[in-house]
Amino acid sequence: MTFGHYWMMFVRRWPLLLLCVLLMGVGALVVSLCMTPVYRSSVLLQVAIHSGTNQSDINDLLASNQLVQTEAQLAVSDPIVREVASRYPGLTASQLSTMASSSVKLNTQLFEITVQDSDAHRAAALADDLARTFIRHQEHDRQQENQASQQQLQQEINSTLRQINALKAQRASAAAKGQPDTSSEQLTTLQQHYNQWQSALAQLELSQAQRGGFLLIVQPAQVASTPVQPDIVLNTVAGLAVGLLSGLALILLLAHVDQHVHSCEEVQQLLSWPVLALTWLERTADTLIQPGSHTTNEEAYRILRSSIGFAGVDKPLRSLMVTSALPGEGKSTVAANLAIFMALAGKRTLLIDADLLCPTLHEQFSLPADKPGLSNAILACSLPDFHAQPPRVFHTVVDPRSISLDGYIHAAGIPNLRVMSSGPLPPNPAELLESRAMKRFFQALDCCDAEIIIFDTSPLLGLSESIVLSTKVDGTIVVVDLNRVHKPHLQQMRSRFVQAGSRVIGCVVNKYPRRGGLLPYSLYARYRPVEKLQDDPGASATVRQPRAVPLR
């Protein structure tokens, strides 16, 4: 399918698309308005790392990014959340865990603790409480760690000092006894260790003093004035977008499963036959166009007449058959009007009612039902070609062209137009149309003075009469009513014609709905002079107008 087909598909079902968009958009708006508003408050914290000149401070500075990420995860850990939740009645640790989150500011020593709650003031209080509780926990843990380190260093200093004092006492005793001093080197080593431990203790105390309060609240939580959820505008726009996509998908799905035919382009695509004309849906029951009157479909039938003339340029079309896939599509109306407009063009036209199941043309042209017609004419052509009397002696073959059909053809009250009604309905119409007598009937038609012969036949699907007759005429016209026929009907009809080898010159789209106030040719057609009847100039005064009866 081309882009134009998709565009027409969407244009045809635009109310459905609009309905989906409005339903989803309004639904998203209503749901957003009914949702409980959620407020967000955040507290900003800084991991303060003091860099010095020694290598350990430089390493701490290089590891600050990892430290910030670690602190951010610990800020909303389970111990912190439990302690804070215990101070708020009706709030559990699991609830607070889903409400609180932390995030790191990229390439900085900052991270924030965020709390979302339906109460804006409680959200800000919870964020600040989490930050303060986390700082207190971290300071307490660091103090315990520092105290343990100081105690260990102090123990080393005391132990070294005791060793030094013991060694000094030993040296004094040896000197009093006049013994040589052999512990001077050991004493020097112990004094160096003592000085190192003292220096380490002093450096640890200095570092603790410098690193005190390494977690700082840079920006306390503020009470939010507007909720972050729901975002009414965003939700409504998202609902409209989802509705648009849903509507497009629904239209594509309906187009895939829909068996209706909606346009002339679809008819031409399914049948591969040209659309000869398009007739409009009449607002009244007067479906048969009156000669000389400017009605809705007058120009449509002139177009049909011209299209048939163009189709017969290479191979003349003397006999035409008008049929449809289903009953009620207006084939009889099209056949009658086509015959009328052919007659108006000066062509001697013969209209034959070949619907031997449910004929209607005799009613349309006010002919008595007991008038002889097609069935009588076929029986008249059923004389045997020969008979044995005596054996092996054959009589002369009867020439069908010598049979006169004048007794079965009746005037229609319109110059150049004559009508042959169906006559008595036979019990076996299909066998009658396929008989030798029907062949002779066509040979007899060759001798009549009609320039164009139009057969109105029965519907095609479910019956065999039309397909039999289609192989005997020069061309077939198919009438399609978009309000009744479905795609499988058209496909089945096309396959039957192709299988029979019939020549279909095109189709007429009948009863097309009016979607505008004016037809394409209505403004121009009103200035065109009235078409005069042919032959007898005074015949128009005595023309008997056909009675307007809806045809099948």
Side-chain angles (χ1 to χ4, degrees):
M1 297 179 68
T2 62
F3 175 77
H5 291 106
Y6 284 108
W7 175 254
M8 291 304 299
M9 185 190 308
F10 295 137
V11 169
R12 189 182 305 117
R13 293 187 171 91
W14 68 265
L16 178 61
L17 182 62
L18 180 62
L19 179 62
C20 291
V21 172
L22 290 179
L23 285 179
M24 296 300 293
V26 173
L29 176 62
V30 172
V31 171
S32 299
L33 293 176
C34 295
M35 291 175 62
T36 302
V38 176
Y39 299 88
R40 175 187 297 169
S41 294
S42 300
V43 56
L44 189 63
L45 291 88
Q46 178 185 5
V47 179
I49 300 178
H50 305 280
S51 61
T53 57
N54 53 40
Q55 187 64 31
S56 62
D57 290 335
I58 296 175
N59 293 335
D60 288 344
L61 185 59
L62 293 176
S64 61
N65 189 28
Q66 290 80 1
L67 180 60
V68 171
Q69 294 180 1
T70 302
E71 296 297 325
Q73 295 297 323
L74 294 176
V76 289
S77 60
D78 189 63
I80 307 299
V81 170
R82 288 183 179 277
E83 181 177 343
V84 174
S86 63
R87 293 193 285 267
Y88 292 85
L91 182 63
T92 63
S94 59
Q95 291 175 345
L96 181 57
S97 179
T98 58
M99 296 161 53
S101 62
S102 61
S103 60
V104 177
K105 300 295 183 181
L106 188 62
N107 298 326
T108 65
Q109 298 177 359
L110 303 175
F111 70 94
E112 64 179 3
I113 302 174
T114 303
V115 176
Q116 294 184 354
D117 192 10
S118 57
D119 188 347
H121 293 84
R122 192 172 75 162
L126 286 171
D128 284 336
D129 201 352
L130 285 171
R132 290 192 299 267
T133 303
F134 176 62
I135 292 175
R136 186 171 64 252
H137 273 254
Q138 291 298 91
E139 291 295 335
H140 180 264
D141 294 341
R142 183 173 290 274
Q143 289 177 2
Q144 288 183 344
E145 182 182 355
N146 292 336
Q147 289 177 1
S149 299
Q150 290 178 3
Q151 290 177 0
Q152 185 177 2
L153 288 175
Q154 190 64 45
Q155 290 176 0
E156 294 292 340
I157 292 173
N158 294 336
S159 176
T160 305
L161 183 58
R162 286 194 297 270
Q163 293 178 8
I164 292 174
N165 292 333
L167 190 58
K168 286 182 178 180
Q170 185 179 358
R171 288 183 63 189
S173 175
K177 294 179 180 180
Q179 296 177 354
D181 185 9
T182 59
S183 59
S184 57
E185 183 177 353
Q186 184 179 2
L187 181 60
T188 302
T189 302
L190 289 173
Q191 288 179 346
Q192 290 178 354
H193 287 172
Y194 179 79
N195 293 334
Q196 290 176 357
W197 292 122
Q198 287 283 3
S199 177
L201 181 59
Q203 186 177 356
L204 178 60
E205 292 176 349
L206 178 61
S207 177
Q208 291 175 359
Q210 290 179 347
R211 294 187 181 183
F214 83 105
L215 284 175
L216 304 176
I217 296 179
V218 179
Q219 178 179 320
Q222 303 293 327
V223 178
S225 58
T226 57
V228 294
Q229 293 180 2
D231 192 337
I232 298 178
V233 176
L234 179 61
N235 292 347
T236 304
V237 172
L240 294 174
V242 172
L244 178 62
L245 295 178
S246 302
L248 294 177
L250 183 59
I251 289 176
L252 291 176
L253 177 62
L254 291 178
H256 181 70
V257 301
D258 186 15
Q259 298 298 330
H260 291 83
V261 184
H262 300 279
S263 65
C264 299
E265 291 76 11
E266 288 188 38
V267 174
Q268 191 166 355
Q269 182 181 5
L270 288 169
L271 297 178
S272 300
W273 301 328
V275 176
L276 302 177
L278 185 150
T279 62
W280 303 91
L281 181 65
E282 293 285 354
R283 293 195 177 106
T284 64
D286 299 335
T287 57
L288 184 61
I289 294 179
Q290 302 289 338
S293 62
H294 294 290
T295 53
T296 304
N297 288 320
E298 181 183 4
E299 196 66 28
Y301 285 107
R302 286 192 174 91
I303 295 174
L304 175 59
R305 182 181 63 191
S306 302
S307 301
I308 295 174
F310 294 142
V313 172
D314 296 332
K315 182 179 179 180
L317 299 173
R318 184 171 181 264
S319 59
L320 295 174
M321 185 188 84
V322 181
T323 186
S324 61
L326 302 174
E329 295 192 62
K331 61 175 183 57
S332 298
T333 300
V334 173
N337 284 295
L338 177 59
I340 290 174
F341 277 85
M342 285 291 185
L344 288 176
K347 294 182 178 293
R348 294 185 297 275
T349 306
L350 174 61
L351 177 62
I352 301 177
D353 193 347
D355 188 350
L356 299 180
L357 295 174
C358 187
T360 57
L361 290 183
H362 66 282
E363 298 178 358
Q364 187 66 42
F365 290 94
S366 301
L367 299 177
D370 56 351
K371 283 277 188 179
L374 176 62
S375 59
N376 303 105
I378 297 176
L379 291 177
C381 297
S382 65
L383 294 175
D385 293 340
F386 56 87
H387 60 275
Q389 186 183 1
R392 299 183 179 274
V393 177
F394 298 95
H395 285 242
T396 305
V397 176
V398 178
D399 187 0
R401 291 173 293 184
S402 64
I403 301 176
S404 176
L405 301 177
D406 293 339
Y408 312 104
I409 299 176
H410 313 287
I414 297 175
N416 298 321
L417 176 61
R418 293 184 296 170
V419 177
M420 178 184 290
S421 60
S422 63
L425 300 184
N428 52 347
E431 287 77 6
L432 185 64
L433 295 178
E434 204 169 2
S435 62
R436 286 185 175 183
M438 188 66 181
K439 183 178 180 180
R440 297 190 190 94
F441 172 75
F442 269 92
Q443 293 175 353
L445 285 178
D446 293 338
C447 298
C448 70
D449 61 347
E451 296 179 85
I452 185 75
I453 303 172
I454 300 175
F455 290 88
D456 174 28
T457 65
S458 57
L460 182 70
L461 298 184
L463 301 172
S464 60
E465 289 80 2
S466 297
I467 201 67
V468 170
L469 191 58
S470 67
T471 60
K472 303 178 183 299
V473 297
D474 298 332
T476 299
I477 299 174
V478 176
V479 178
V480 178
D481 183 2
L482 302 185
N483 298 316
R484 295 182 60 85
V485 75
H486 293 168
K487 293 179 182 178
H489 300 146
L490 297 181
Q491 294 169 348
Q492 185 179 357
M493 178 175 61
R494 170 176 165 74
S495 63
R496 292 196 63 183
F497 277 126
V498 171
Q499 184 179 6
S502 306
R503 181 189 178 189
V504 180
I505 62 175
C507 55
V508 176
V509 177
N510 194 30
K511 303 178 186 178
Y512 199 77
R514 306 185 194 183
R515 295 188 174 92
L518 294 175
L519 301 179
Y521 45 79
S522 59
L523 289 176
Y524 184 77
R526 68 178 61 178
Y527 300 104
R528 183 169 42 78
V530 177
E531 186 174 5
K532 299 298 183 181
L533 298 180
Q534 301 295 324
D535 295 341
D536 186 7
S540 59
T542 60
V543 168
R544 176 165 48 87
Q545 301 293 342
R547 187 163 50 89
V549 177
L551 300 183
R552 291 175 300 280

